[in-house]
Amino acid sequence: MEPGDAARLGPGRAARALPPRLLLLPLLPLLLGRGLRAAASASTGAAADDSSAMEELATEKEAEESHRQDSVSLLTFILLLTLTILTIWLFKHRRVRFLHETGLAMIYGLIVGVILRYGTPATSGHDKSLSCTQEDRAFSTLLVNVSGKFFEYTLKGEISPGKINSVEQNDMLRKVTFDPEVFFNILLPPIIFHAGYSLKKRHFFRNLGSILAYAFLGTAVSCFIIGNLMYGVVKLMKIVGQLSDKFYYTDCLFFGAIISATDPVTVLAIFNELHADVDLYALLFGESVLNDAVAIVLSSSIVAYQPAGLNTHAFDAAAFFKSVGIFLGIFSGSFTMGAVTGVVTALVTKFTKLHCFPLLETALFFLMSWSTFLLAEACGFTGVVAVLFCGITQAHYTYNNLSVESRSRTKQLFEVLHFLAENFIFSYMGLALFTFQKHVFSPVFIIGAFVAIFLGRAAHIYPLSFFLNLGRRHKIGWNFQHMMMFSGLRGAMAFALAIRDTASYARQMMFTTTLLIVFFTVWVIGGGTTPMLSWLNIRVGVDPDQDPPPNNDSFQVLQGDGPDSARGNRTKQESAWLFRLWYSFDHNYLKPILTHSGPPLTTTLPAWCGLLARCLTSPQVYDNQEPLREEDSDFILTEGDLTLTYGGDSTVTANGSSGSHTASTSLEGSRRTKSSSEEVLDRALGMGDQPVSSRGTRLVFPLEDNA
């Protein structure tokens, strides 16, 4: 086509007649721009993919490094425990008593803490801080939008402005700082349960009145005395300018509650090794077990104290009585929950054949016992109280239903867990002195705390002993009172309560002071136990089943003037009405229902309950071929325990001699005979060497205390 032809065809037809290449020339800039933008977009997408891949790789590396550090931190504590065990063996082999295993664990923890603190370089840094001035409170969880990606952050605690530049830069030190809930949910349950499960009930119950007085009244008195004295110390610190933040009266009472939790583990271990006086051991052990429970409930009640009005720290009578009600409610609810769990476990082990499978039986026992703690915490009660009374209930009832293998396994299992958990906590105490980042050291507060706990201990040991002696035939001697005053060590419970909340300035100061008090009492007071026993002339090398000598001025529960024939009468007088009130109901109804021991319910329940009685009574009660199990009996009738077994007739003397006896009564006594547990108790307590006959009953004196 010629150019002239295009002119003749006109503009429209000429355009249509142009070659395709010429028609694309005007569109070239537009097409080129789109292509460049497409290429740039593809390049940007590739770069974003590469960046995302790099982030994922970095995240994986961080996760691997975090896992490695977690393994190293746990390995550190395992090595600490291993070293502690080997050193304990060496000390026992050399008969060294000036330092207990818990003190060793703390020393090794201190050494490792120093190494981690000053021997490891900083491995991480912090980015710039972001301001959230529009918010008036801290959030437990934050979702942060960073360039369209959301990241979750959790609250670790408040940092004072003066320490913003000294925040821990070492990831390893952060790893060895455990969440306080680890102590409460994992480490404390086996310690507290073992205390209840291994309770020497014979000595515990015959000193029950004194133990309850020391544990409840004593802890309350100690809490308020220490709290008021420390409030005076805080006022002094404010005057001299050593108080840099708020410290309220309720904070002082809270400190008094947590520091009133005694833990004389060092003293009791030495008592056990030297076979010190069993009644002194029972008083100290019983007080420490119960006052831990009282202290934690008391601290919870103080935290719950919320007066009406603007001043939330002023005294308010309504709020005070509300806190008292909370204390009673939490304690009674926790006690009920622990006892019910123990009863349920006893029923399960009695009415099933789990004893044929000891492994399953032991596993169920373990899970039911541990779940008591978590169940109480989940329901708003206190797990420490619940698991303590669960242990006591398990030892009194469930233990009788277990197979021989399960008895041995449960005892050893909780003993090992108790040993490892306790030494782990004391190792962590030594470590925390250097790895914890929120210490507040105040010399005035620390010295005041030492003086306050000394005065608080004295203010409840000596006055309570005086009032208790007014109603006792045989008094608590001055040497026992001095030893109890000396043995007020602080330990795992006080530490766990103090570390649970370290968010505020006041709580941080309490934690630091509590840590130093634990160090001092374990090392100094624990190390001075043996010399103190000698200086106070307290008997050692005592057989647990032996009565104190007549001329001993110490605490004599079963002391009397006559020979063995008078033991029953003396014990009846000393046994206290509290035990006798409980004994009849427990012996006649609870033991037969929950265990394979006790009298048949057909002899204790009314005749119209015959069907129910036959259903609930174990066949072993009627079958004399299988020895009935009640080795953990706490029938404190004489200095030796009383075991009652059923299924055959026998005659037993108080010195242990027995002979078979044929019952002349028929089974019509199954209706409710005069030989009820109360009569059995009276005859047992009042008899000398005269034989006692009881249909289907065998009395054994003494029985070794296995619990």
Side-chain angles (χ1 to χ4, degrees):
M1 180 178 179
E2 298 296 333
D5 297 336
R8 289 192 299 268
L9 293 173
R13 297 176 63 183
R16 287 193 294 270
L18 288 175
R21 292 190 300 272
L22 296 177
L23 292 173
L24 291 175
L25 288 176
L27 302 176
L28 183 61
L30 179 61
L31 296 175
L32 182 61
R34 289 181 177 178
L36 290 175
R37 285 194 297 271
S41 177
S43 174
T44 303
D49 292 340
D50 293 341
S51 176
S52 178
M54 294 295 292
E55 288 180 1
E56 291 178 0
L57 183 61
T59 303
E60 291 178 0
K61 288 184 177 180
E62 289 179 0
E64 292 178 0
E65 180 65 19
S66 177
H67 174 72
R68 186 188 66 82
Q69 291 176 353
D70 287 336
S71 301
V72 171
S73 64
L74 291 176
L75 179 62
T76 300
F77 284 103
I78 290 176
L79 293 177
L80 278 174
L81 293 175
T82 304
L83 187 60
T84 301
I85 291 172
L86 293 176
T87 313
I88 291 170
W89 169 82
L90 180 62
F91 276 33
K92 289 183 179 294
H93 182 68
R94 300 292 182 183
R95 298 184 181 276
V96 177
R97 296 192 180 95
F98 67 88
L99 188 62
H100 187 248
E101 58 201 43
T102 53
L104 280 172
M106 293 171 70
I107 291 176
Y108 289 140
L110 282 171
I111 295 173
V112 174
V114 171
I115 295 173
L116 291 177
R117 181 66 184 171
Y118 301 107
T120 56
T123 56
S124 69
H126 289 278
D127 295 328
K128 64 178 182 179
S129 59
L130 301 177
S131 297
C132 298
T133 55
Q134 296 180 354
E135 302 296 336
D136 57 355
R137 65 183 181 90
F139 296 94
S140 59
T141 304
L142 283 179
L143 290 177
V144 181
N145 186 351
V146 180
S147 301
K149 295 182 178 180
F150 289 89
F151 299 89
E152 182 181 4
Y153 295 85
T154 56
L155 178 67
K156 293 195 68 174
E158 181 183 1
I159 302 172
S160 60
K163 295 184 177 182
I164 191 67
N165 296 321
S166 60
V167 177
E168 185 50 59
Q169 301 286 312
N170 196 321
D171 283 337
M172 189 62 200
L173 291 184
R174 290 201 204 103
K175 293 294 183 182
V176 297
T177 304
F178 286 94
D179 187 337
E181 294 303 316
V182 171
F183 294 98
F184 263 80
N185 296 331
I186 298 178
L187 298 178
L188 275 185
I191 294 176
I192 303 300
F193 181 85
H194 178 263
Y197 194 53
S198 62
L199 190 69
K200 299 291 184 182
K201 292 181 290 297
R202 172 189 159 204
H203 305 291
F204 177 85
F205 281 102
R206 76 181 185 186
N207 295 290
L208 183 60
S210 300
I211 290 172
L212 291 177
Y214 288 127
F216 283 87
L217 293 178
T219 304
V221 169
S222 176
C223 167
F224 284 99
I225 289 179
I226 293 175
N228 284 280
L229 290 176
M230 293 312 299
Y231 188 64
V233 172
V234 168
K235 288 295 186 182
L236 177 62
M237 292 172 60
K238 190 174 182 179
I239 293 174
V240 299
Q242 291 194 11
L243 194 66
S244 59
D245 208 337
K246 297 178 180 179
F247 208 119
Y248 297 106
Y249 178 68
T250 52
D251 294 325
C252 296
L253 287 180
F254 179 82
F255 178 73
I258 65 174
I259 209 64
S260 295
T262 60
D263 186 17
V265 57
T266 304
V267 175
L268 293 176
I270 295 175
F271 279 12
N272 194 41
E273 186 177 352
L274 296 177
H275 298 287
D277 192 289
V278 290
D279 291 310
L280 176 60
Y281 183 96
L283 287 172
L284 280 174
F285 181 78
E287 181 204 5
S288 67
V289 166
L290 290 180
N291 93 328
D292 282 352
V294 174
I296 190 172
V297 180
L298 193 60
S299 62
S300 300
S301 303
I302 293 173
V303 171
Y305 177 79
Q306 293 293 336
L310 297 178
N311 190 355
T312 58
H313 295 276
F315 177 77
D316 187 341
F320 172 77
F321 286 109
K322 181 181 178 181
S323 296
V324 173
I326 291 174
F327 173 86
L328 297 176
I330 291 178
F331 195 93
S332 59
S334 303
F335 165 79
T336 303
M337 188 166 292
V340 167
T341 306
V343 167
V344 170
T345 310
L347 290 173
V348 171
T349 54
K350 176 183 178 181
F351 291 105
T352 62
K353 293 187 178 297
L354 275 174
H355 63 272
C356 299
F357 306 94
L359 180 61
L360 300 180
E361 190 178 37
T362 304
L364 178 68
F365 183 92
F366 175 81
L367 294 176
M368 290 291 290
S369 302
W370 200 304
S371 64
T372 305
F373 183 92
L374 301 177
L375 179 63
E377 292 288 333
C379 294
F381 297 109
T382 300
V384 170
V385 179
V387 80
L388 170 64
F389 287 101
C390 176
I392 295 175
T393 307
Q394 301 277 46
H396 187 58
Y397 298 114
T398 311
Y399 184 84
N400 293 283
N401 301 333
L402 300 178
S403 62
V404 176
E405 295 89 343
S406 295
R407 292 187 194 183
S408 177
R409 286 177 179 177
T410 55
K411 289 282 187 182
Q412 294 175 0
L413 173 63
F414 281 102
E415 186 176 5
V416 170
L417 290 176
H418 163 264
F419 173 81
L420 293 177
E422 191 167 59
N423 281 278
F424 184 94
I425 291 179
F426 279 94
S427 298
Y428 185 80
M429 287 185 196
L431 202 69
L433 188 62
F434 292 97
T435 60
F436 188 74
Q437 292 303 300
K438 301 175 183 178
H439 284 303
V440 177
F441 290 94
S442 174
V444 176
F445 191 86
I446 293 170
I447 295 174
F450 274 99
V451 175
I453 63 172
F454 177 83
L455 295 177
R457 183 75 179 168
H460 88 262
I461 289 294
Y462 296 114
L464 282 180
S465 299
F466 171 78
F467 287 111
L468 287 171
N469 283 337
L470 294 178
R472 301 189 62 90
R473 242 181 104 218
H474 300 284
K475 314 303 180 186
I476 303 176
W478 284 105
N479 54 347
F480 275 31
Q481 296 179 40
H482 296 328
M483 193 68 215
M484 293 179 67
M485 169 68 193
F486 179 79
S487 302
L489 283 72
R490 270 62 177 179
M493 180 57 68
F495 173 79
L497 288 172
I499 199 176
R500 197 173 192 182
D501 181 8
T502 56
S504 65
Y505 169 82
R507 298 299 175 87
Q508 293 166 10
M509 187 182 295
M510 292 180 205
F511 173 72
T512 303
T513 306
T514 301
L515 202 58
L516 296 178
I517 290 173
V518 173
F519 287 163
F520 177 83
T521 55
V522 170
W523 287 339
V524 178
I525 298 181
T529 301
T530 304
M532 185 63 69
L533 285 172
S534 176
W535 185 64
L536 293 175
N537 295 320
I538 294 177
R539 298 183 308 146
V540 295
V542 179
D543 182 358
D545 294 323
Q546 177 185 352
D547 276 338
N551 57 354
N552 195 345
D553 292 332
S554 64
F555 187 68
Q556 301 174 19
V557 178
L558 300 178
Q559 172 62 33
D561 301 322
D564 290 344
S565 59
R567 286 179 181 174
N569 189 37
R570 290 197 308 272
T571 309
K572 182 176 180 179
Q573 296 173 356
E574 295 288 342
S575 264
W577 56 272
L578 189 62
F579 166 71
R580 294 177 62 85
L581 285 177
W582 166 253
Y583 172 83
S584 179
F585 179 75
D586 178 62
H587 172 70
N588 283 335
Y589 304 107
L590 294 184
K591 278 281 182 141
I593 292 174
L594 301 177
T595 70
H596 297 298
S597 58
L601 289 173
T602 53
T603 65
T604 58
L605 290 177
W608 55 271
C609 296
L611 179 61
L612 179 64
R614 286 190 294 272
C615 292
L616 295 178
T617 301
S618 174
Q620 287 90 328
V621 172
Y622 305 102
D623 187 4
N624 197 34
Q625 295 179 357
E626 178 182 351
L628 299 181
R629 305 185 290 270
E630 201 166 335
E631 284 118 358
D632 69 327
S633 176
D634 58 1
F635 297 140
I636 314 150
L637 306 181
T638 69
E639 66 280 33
D641 286 348
L642 170 64
T643 295
L644 295 106
T645 56
Y646 290 81
D649 303 326
S650 60
T651 302
V652 181
T653 61
N655 59 11
S657 61
S658 63
S660 68
H661 172 74
T662 303
S664 58
T665 16
S666 64
L667 218 82
E668 82 175 336
S670 64
R671 291 186 183 88
R672 184 185 297 224
T673 63
K674 183 70 173 157
S675 70
S676 64
S677 65
E678 187 66 28
E679 282 196 355
V680 173
L681 179 62
D682 291 337
R683 287 201 300 269
L685 291 175
M687 73 182 185
D689 287 332
Q690 301 175 359
V692 172
S693 300
S694 177
R695 186 189 62 78
T697 303
R698 184 167 64 253
L699 306 179
V700 182
F701 293 87
L703 175 69
E704 183 178 345
D705 197 350
N706 295 326

